[in-house]
Amino acid sequence: MIPMYNTSSVLYPPTPPPVPPPPHPRSRRPTLTGHPTLVVYGDRDGLTSTKKVRRWVAEMAPGDDDGGDPLFQACEVVGAGRFWREDGVEPALRWAVRRWVLRLSW
């Protein structure tokens, strides 16, 4: 048996992975920076912990300590699950989106 070698990797070492850009200084989540963002979530999501979502929302929301993104808004709908099939939650979702859109137009 004759061993086979890939000589291209010896002659041309692989290039290092690209360095990600630094985060935007005004946001902890650079993908949301600079864009109005609304997060509507339910407190009955079976896949995501409501406690974790609330913590993330607290990090993102604007606050007195200048730690949040001023364009970020969130609304928790009591009784809503992941797929918004529970009775009475759709009007709450529509109201949250309508209120957010009206605020954008001010």
Side-chain angles (χ1 to χ4, degrees):
M1 177 185 254
I2 300 173
M4 301 295 286
Y5 296 101
N6 183 349
T7 59
S8 64
S9 64
V10 175
L11 298 175
Y12 304 103
T15 57
V19 177
H24 192 279
R26 296 209 18 108
S27 176
R28 292 186 176 102
R29 305 287 191 269
T31 57
L32 300 178
T33 302
H35 304 282
T37 303
L38 172 66
V39 174
V40 184
Y41 63 96
D43 66 346
R44 305 277 168 116
D45 190 329
L47 300 175
T48 304
S49 163
T50 304
K51 183 178 177 181
K52 287 183 181 181
V53 175
R54 287 175 181 157
R55 191 173 344 153
W56 177 74
V57 165
E59 285 179 9
M60 292 298 298
D64 296 335
D65 61 352
D66 195 37
D69 189 333
L71 298 176
F72 180 89
Q73 293 182 6
C75 178
E76 180 177 322
V77 177
V78 176
R82 173 160 297 247
F83 300 107
W84 298 88
R85 294 183 185 171
E86 296 77 17
D87 288 335
V89 297
E90 184 181 345
L93 171 64
R94 290 177 182 268
W95 176 82
V97 173
R98 188 175 295 121
R99 183 181 64 166
W100 181 71
V101 169
L102 288 173
R103 285 183 180 176
L104 288 178
S105 63
W106 289 357

